[in-house]
Amino acid sequence: MNEVPHMTPTAPVTGDGTPPAVTVRDVTKQYGDRRAVDGVTLDVLRGEFFGLLGPNGAGKSTLVEIMEGLRKADSGSVAVFGESPWPRNTGLLPRLGVQTQSSAFFVRQTVHEHLRTVAALYGADRAAVDATLESVGLGDRHRVRVDDLSGGQRQRLAIASALVHGPELIFLDEPTASLDPEGRRDLWEVLRGLKAEGRTIVYTTHHLDEAEALCDRVGILVAGRLVVTDAPQNLIGSFGAGGKLLVPVGRIDEAGAAALPGVDRVTVQGGHLVLETRETGRVLAALDPLTGLDGVQTRMPSLEDVYLDITARRAGGTDGVTAPDDRAPNHQEQQA
Ligand code: ADP
């Protein structure tokens, strides 16, 4: 049999001699003529909060499901805690927690009954059920029927269902999708708590502010390829994504703004001219004698700026947020 995928790779080891939580080596997955995952290599370290980012269809779910042992890669290798997750590795299952977008619920049960049922599947005890509900902020919802939970509360219950057996490695698929801003912030605290407990988290999200706030490292997947992996702050710094100055319309016209020293690009958004620059101080100094600085707002670059820049460039877009040719990324960007 000519089958090499999912052999345990020679996983790199950490300082204490343990392998990373997840090791992915040159993994590919093809559906028909579409390569959903295209040669991805990645380590997720123990205790790390790792965010997998990318546009819809980039291959995030496929890659995560391969890590979880739910799908088989066509080629390459995957190890979770040094072991192959495929074929279904029952020894690994208690160590993994998986929350998906389509988490199933026992809708006619109460919250507590539902989680007890899930816990029983893993042999987790009742004390774990109570503690887990408390940790996700559902401590006062025990007797509410799952049917009657709000969307945000269901998300919490889905996460609780992935956590109740105390897994070391947790996969979360857009856990804050469809939550209102308050619900998202509350859930951030839950996720930070999991990290503080030393658990490893691999999660996908389209909320770039969230990834910036929570993740130790992010990987950006575009068309099946992992184009960059780094800490959000390193990405922001090394891409040199520009800051923005928002100048109320009417103070200076677009041509005048574009001619200011240090301005890379000018657009109009709402009631402001948006001046993009990598030399904020220089532009402010030039602007001050012309318009004064009252009402001028400064926006520093964010992970979202970097993400939009990378995904636009990889997609062949021409209107990236920052695209001067003289930038020399020094982070772990993989060339296609
Ligand atoms: P993402 O999670 O980033 O949105 P997916 O992993 O779901 O991306 O999908 C990557 C690509 O693979 C998409 O083009 C998608 O249509 C395709 N794909 C995913 N699952 C299947 C499948 N079971 N059969 C055929 N194509 C699939």
Side-chain angles (χ1 to χ4, degrees):
M1 197 165 75
N2 163 23
E3 195 172 60
V4 284
H6 296 278
M7 279 169 35
T8 300
T10 44
V13 290
T14 46
D16 61 2
T18 53
V22 186
T23 305
V24 175
R25 290 289 174 272
D26 205 19
V27 159
T28 61
K29 178 78 182 178
Q30 186 108 5
Y31 295 115
D33 59 1
R34 173 132 201 153
R35 190 161 277 205
V37 177
D38 189 3
V40 169
T41 290
L42 169 72
D43 289 327
V44 179
L45 305 181
R46 292 182 192 226
E48 190 169 39
F49 199 134
F50 187 88
L52 198 54
L53 314 177
N56 290 330
K60 301 180 297 297
S61 303
T62 304
L63 179 60
V64 168
E65 287 174 5
I66 288 170
M67 293 183 199
E68 293 166 348
L70 297 174
R71 287 187 200 229
K72 181 175 184 287
D74 293 339
S75 63
S77 60
V78 179
V80 175
F81 298 124
E83 294 182 33
S84 171
W86 183 279
R88 201 83 173 131
N89 184 333
T90 49
L92 274 178
L93 290 184
R95 303 176 72 183
L96 310 185
V98 175
Q99 170 258 329
T100 68
Q101 285 289 297
S102 52
S103 294
F105 294 104
F106 302 106
V107 289
R108 293 184 188 286
Q109 296 189 340
T110 67
V111 165
H112 201 272
E113 286 165 350
H114 167 84
L115 201 58
R116 275 207 321 264
T117 308
V118 174
L121 297 174
Y122 287 99
D125 60 19
R126 191 184 170 116
V129 172
D130 292 338
T132 307
L133 285 176
E134 202 60 49
S135 77
V136 300
L138 289 176
D140 59 349
R141 307 268 92 186
H142 284 202
R143 292 194 183 80
V144 177
R145 268 171 53 132
V146 173
D147 263 355
D148 295 330
L149 292 177
S150 70
Q153 290 167 343
R154 276 195 184 214
Q155 288 275 54
R156 286 159 187 262
L157 186 56
I159 293 171
S161 304
L163 296 182
V164 69
H165 57 294
E168 295 159 68
L169 170 59
I170 303 159
F171 293 97
L172 302 170
D173 186 14
E174 297 187 45
T176 58
S178 78
L179 293 189
D180 59 24
E182 294 84 357
R184 282 179 62 213
R185 292 300 174 126
D186 288 348
L187 207 54
W188 288 15
E189 292 315 309
V190 173
L191 300 179
R192 285 195 173 112
L194 296 174
K195 159 135 178 104
E197 289 168 8
R199 300 179 204 279
T200 306
I201 300 168
V202 175
Y203 106 132
T204 65
T205 185
H206 289 297
H207 292 296
L208 282 304
D209 59 334
E210 183 172 298
E212 186 175 334
L214 296 176
C215 291
D216 297 314
R217 281 191 309 144
V218 296
I220 299 179
L221 207 57
V222 182
R225 302 193 74 125
L226 191 64
V227 296
V228 70
T229 316
D230 212 335
Q233 289 311 319
N234 290 348
L235 282 178
I236 293 165
S238 61
F239 263 92
K244 292 177 184 169
L245 296 175
L246 277 61
V247 182
V249 161
R251 297 277 186 84
I252 186 170
D253 63 24
E254 279 182 69
L260 292 174
V263 170
D264 296 327
R265 185 167 176 251
V266 178
T267 52
V268 182
Q269 291 175 22
H272 291 93
L273 289 188
V274 179
L275 282 51
E276 295 177 26
T277 176
R278 281 163 292 152
E279 298 176 281
T280 310
R282 193 168 168 219
V283 178
L284 283 171
L287 202 56
D288 191 14
L290 295 176
T291 71
L293 297 180
D294 265 3
V296 174
Q297 299 171 41
T298 310
R299 296 262 191 281
M300 293 320 287
S302 66
L303 183 61
E304 182 163 301
D305 294 321
V306 176
Y307 171 90
L308 291 172
D309 183 24
I310 290 176
T311 52
R313 280 194 288 141
R314 290 286 167 164
T318 55
D319 59 348
V321 175
T322 58
D325 291 331
D326 57 350
R327 284 174 308 144
N330 59 4
H331 50 74
Q332 304 156 31
E333 186 172 13
Q334 299 172 7
Q335 298 303 321

mmCIF file of all heavy atoms in Angstrom, residues 150-169:
data_model
loop_
_atom_site.group_PDB
_atom_site.id
_atom_site.type_symbol
_atom_site.label_atom_id
_atom_site.label_comp_id
_atom_site.label_asym_id
_atom_site.label_seq_id
_atom_site.Cartn_x
_atom_site.Cartn_y
_atom_site.Cartn_z
ATOM 1 N N SER A 150 -30.828 32.300 23.955
ATOM 2 C CA SER A 150 -30.515 33.261 22.894
ATOM 3 C C SER A 150 -29.377 32.687 22.041
ATOM 4 O O SER A 150 -28.712 31.713 22.443
ATOM 5 C CB SER A 150 -30.078 34.591 23.499
ATOM 6 O OG SER A 150 -28.803 34.430 24.106
ATOM 7 N N GLY A 151 -29.142 33.334 20.901
ATOM 8 C CA GLY A 151 -28.057 32.868 20.026
ATOM 9 C C GLY A 151 -26.716 32.853 20.744
ATOM 10 O O GLY A 151 -25.938 31.906 20.636
ATOM 11 N N GLY A 152 -26.465 33.913 21.509
ATOM 12 C CA GLY A 152 -25.198 33.999 22.227
ATOM 13 C C GLY A 152 -25.067 32.922 23.286
ATOM 14 O O GLY A 152 -23.989 32.341 23.485
ATOM 15 N N GLN A 153 -26.171 32.634 23.951
ATOM 16 C CA GLN A 153 -26.132 31.594 24.992
ATOM 17 C C GLN A 153 -25.912 30.220 24.356
ATOM 18 O O GLN A 153 -25.223 29.373 24.924
ATOM 19 C CB GLN A 153 -27.428 31.637 25.805
ATOM 20 C CG GLN A 153 -27.496 32.881 26.681
ATOM 21 C CD GLN A 153 -28.882 33.127 27.250
ATOM 22 O OE1 GLN A 153 -29.876 32.582 26.781
ATOM 23 N NE2 GLN A 153 -28.952 33.971 28.263
ATOM 24 N N ARG A 154 -26.478 30.022 23.177
ATOM 25 C CA ARG A 154 -26.235 28.739 22.492
ATOM 26 C C ARG A 154 -24.769 28.589 22.109
ATOM 27 O O ARG A 154 -24.205 27.499 22.182
ATOM 28 C CB ARG A 154 -27.081 28.650 21.222
ATOM 29 C CG ARG A 154 -28.460 28.168 21.484
ATOM 30 C CD ARG A 154 -29.095 27.760 20.165
ATOM 31 N NE ARG A 154 -30.459 27.379 20.404
ATOM 32 C CZ ARG A 154 -31.088 26.437 19.732
ATOM 33 N NH1 ARG A 154 -30.488 25.794 18.751
ATOM 34 N NH2 ARG A 154 -32.333 26.144 20.002
ATOM 35 N N GLN A 155 -24.177 29.713 21.674
ATOM 36 C CA GLN A 155 -22.745 29.663 21.349
ATOM 37 C C GLN A 155 -21.949 29.241 22.582
ATOM 38 O O GLN A 155 -21.024 28.444 22.506
ATOM 39 C CB GLN A 155 -22.244 31.041 20.900
ATOM 40 C CG GLN A 155 -22.715 31.492 19.543
ATOM 41 C CD GLN A 155 -21.853 30.963 18.434
ATOM 42 O OE1 GLN A 155 -21.650 29.766 18.353
ATOM 43 N NE2 GLN A 155 -21.352 31.822 17.572
ATOM 44 N N ARG A 156 -22.323 29.794 23.717
ATOM 45 C CA ARG A 156 -21.625 29.443 24.961
ATOM 46 C C ARG A 156 -21.813 27.974 25.292
ATOM 47 O O ARG A 156 -20.886 27.302 25.754
ATOM 48 C CB ARG A 156 -22.165 30.269 26.125
ATOM 49 C CG ARG A 156 -21.718 31.691 26.105
ATOM 50 C CD ARG A 156 -22.667 32.519 26.934
ATOM 51 N NE ARG A 156 -22.343 33.911 26.781
ATOM 52 C CZ ARG A 156 -21.600 34.594 27.647
ATOM 53 N NH1 ARG A 156 -21.146 34.007 28.724
ATOM 54 N NH2 ARG A 156 -21.320 35.838 27.420
ATOM 55 N N LEU A 157 -23.038 27.500 25.056
ATOM 56 C CA LEU A 157 -23.300 26.092 25.375
ATOM 57 C C LEU A 157 -22.504 25.181 24.425
ATOM 58 O O LEU A 157 -22.010 24.126 24.833
ATOM 59 C CB LEU A 157 -24.804 25.808 25.279
ATOM 60 C CG LEU A 157 -25.239 24.420 25.727
ATOM 61 C CD1 LEU A 157 -24.792 24.117 27.162
ATOM 62 C CD2 LEU A 157 -26.766 24.268 25.606
ATOM 63 N N ALA A 158 -22.379 25.624 23.170
ATOM 64 C CA ALA A 158 -21.574 24.837 22.222
ATOM 65 C C ALA A 158 -20.124 24.762 22.697
ATOM 66 O O ALA A 158 -19.474 23.715 22.628
ATOM 67 C CB ALA A 158 -21.645 25.460 20.821
ATOM 68 N N ILE A 159 -19.649 25.885 23.206
ATOM 69 C CA ILE A 159 -18.273 25.900 23.714
ATOM 70 C C ILE A 159 -18.171 25.047 24.970
ATOM 71 O O ILE A 159 -17.227 24.254 25.129
ATOM 72 C CB ILE A 159 -17.816 27.348 23.949
ATOM 73 C CG1 ILE A 159 -17.713 28.057 22.596
ATOM 74 C CG2 ILE A 159 -16.485 27.398 24.679
ATOM 75 C CD1 ILE A 159 -17.482 29.530 22.678
ATOM 76 N N ALA A 160 -19.174 25.165 25.835
ATOM 77 C CA ALA A 160 -19.171 24.335 27.046
ATOM 78 C C ALA A 160 -19.146 22.853 26.671
ATOM 79 O O ALA A 160 -18.464 22.040 27.317
ATOM 80 C CB ALA A 160 -20.408 24.650 27.894
ATOM 81 N N SER A 161 -19.869 22.494 25.610
ATOM 82 C CA SER A 161 -19.923 21.086 25.186
ATOM 83 C C SER A 161 -18.556 20.602 24.704
ATOM 84 O O SER A 161 -18.231 19.417 24.799
ATOM 85 C CB SER A 161 -20.953 20.907 24.069
ATOM 86 O OG SER A 161 -22.213 21.380 24.490
ATOM 87 N N ALA A 162 -17.768 21.560 24.174
ATOM 88 C CA ALA A 162 -16.420 21.195 23.718
ATOM 89 C C ALA A 162 -15.424 21.144 24.873
ATOM 90 O O ALA A 162 -14.326 20.617 24.723
ATOM 91 C CB ALA A 162 -15.944 22.207 22.666
ATOM 92 N N LEU A 163 -15.826 21.697 26.027
ATOM 93 C CA LEU A 163 -14.883 21.861 27.141
ATOM 94 C C LEU A 163 -15.110 20.935 28.322
ATOM 95 O O LEU A 163 -14.221 20.782 29.162
ATOM 96 C CB LEU A 163 -14.999 23.285 27.713
ATOM 97 C CG LEU A 163 -14.629 24.437 26.827
ATOM 98 C CD1 LEU A 163 -14.781 25.726 27.604
ATOM 99 C CD2 LEU A 163 -13.204 24.261 26.358
ATOM 100 N N VAL A 164 -16.315 20.364 28.395
ATOM 101 C CA VAL A 164 -16.755 19.761 29.658
ATOM 102 C C VAL A 164 -15.839 18.623 30.110
ATOM 103 O O VAL A 164 -15.723 18.343 31.299
ATOM 104 C CB VAL A 164 -18.231 19.312 29.549
ATOM 105 C CG1 VAL A 164 -18.389 18.138 28.596
ATOM 106 C CG2 VAL A 164 -18.813 18.991 30.924
ATOM 107 N N HIS A 165 -15.155 17.976 29.161
ATOM 108 C CA HIS A 165 -14.286 16.860 29.535
ATOM 109 C C HIS A 165 -12.842 17.314 29.779
ATOM 110 O O HIS A 165 -11.940 16.494 29.889
ATOM 111 C CB HIS A 165 -14.337 15.762 28.467
ATOM 112 C CG HIS A 165 -13.968 16.251 27.089
ATOM 113 N ND1 HIS A 165 -14.723 17.159 26.394
ATOM 114 C CD2 HIS A 165 -12.917 15.953 26.285
ATOM 115 C CE1 HIS A 165 -14.160 17.391 25.233
ATOM 116 N NE2 HIS A 165 -13.052 16.694 25.133
ATOM 117 N N GLY A 166 -12.648 18.652 29.824
ATOM 118 C CA GLY A 166 -11.324 19.175 30.178
ATOM 119 C C GLY A 166 -10.244 18.902 29.139
ATOM 120 O O GLY A 166 -9.129 18.490 29.497
ATOM 121 N N PRO A 167 -10.521 19.153 27.851
ATOM 122 C CA PRO A 167 -9.515 18.859 26.824
ATOM 123 C C PRO A 167 -8.314 19.800 26.912
ATOM 124 O O PRO A 167 -8.452 20.946 27.342
ATOM 125 C CB PRO A 167 -10.270 19.083 25.513
ATOM 126 C CG PRO A 167 -11.318 20.084 25.864
ATOM 127 C CD PRO A 167 -11.725 19.777 27.271
ATOM 128 N N GLU A 168 -7.172 19.296 26.458
ATOM 129 C CA GLU A 168 -5.966 20.137 26.449
ATOM 130 C C GLU A 168 -5.917 21.028 25.206
ATOM 131 O O GLU A 168 -5.325 22.096 25.218
ATOM 132 C CB GLU A 168 -4.720 19.246 26.431
ATOM 133 C CG GLU A 168 -4.532 18.408 27.663
ATOM 134 C CD GLU A 168 -3.620 17.232 27.366
ATOM 135 O OE1 GLU A 168 -2.414 17.468 27.109
ATOM 136 O OE2 GLU A 168 -4.094 16.085 27.380
ATOM 137 N N LEU A 169 -6.505 20.520 24.127
ATOM 138 C CA LEU A 169 -6.465 21.234 22.839
ATOM 139 C C LEU A 169 -7.899 21.468 22.382
ATOM 140 O O LEU A 169 -8.685 20.522 22.288
ATOM 141 C CB LEU A 169 -5.707 20.380 21.808
ATOM 142 C CG LEU A 169 -5.733 20.819 20.351
ATOM 143 C CD1 LEU A 169 -5.150 22.222 20.177
ATOM 144 C CD2 LEU A 169 -4.949 19.814 19.487
#
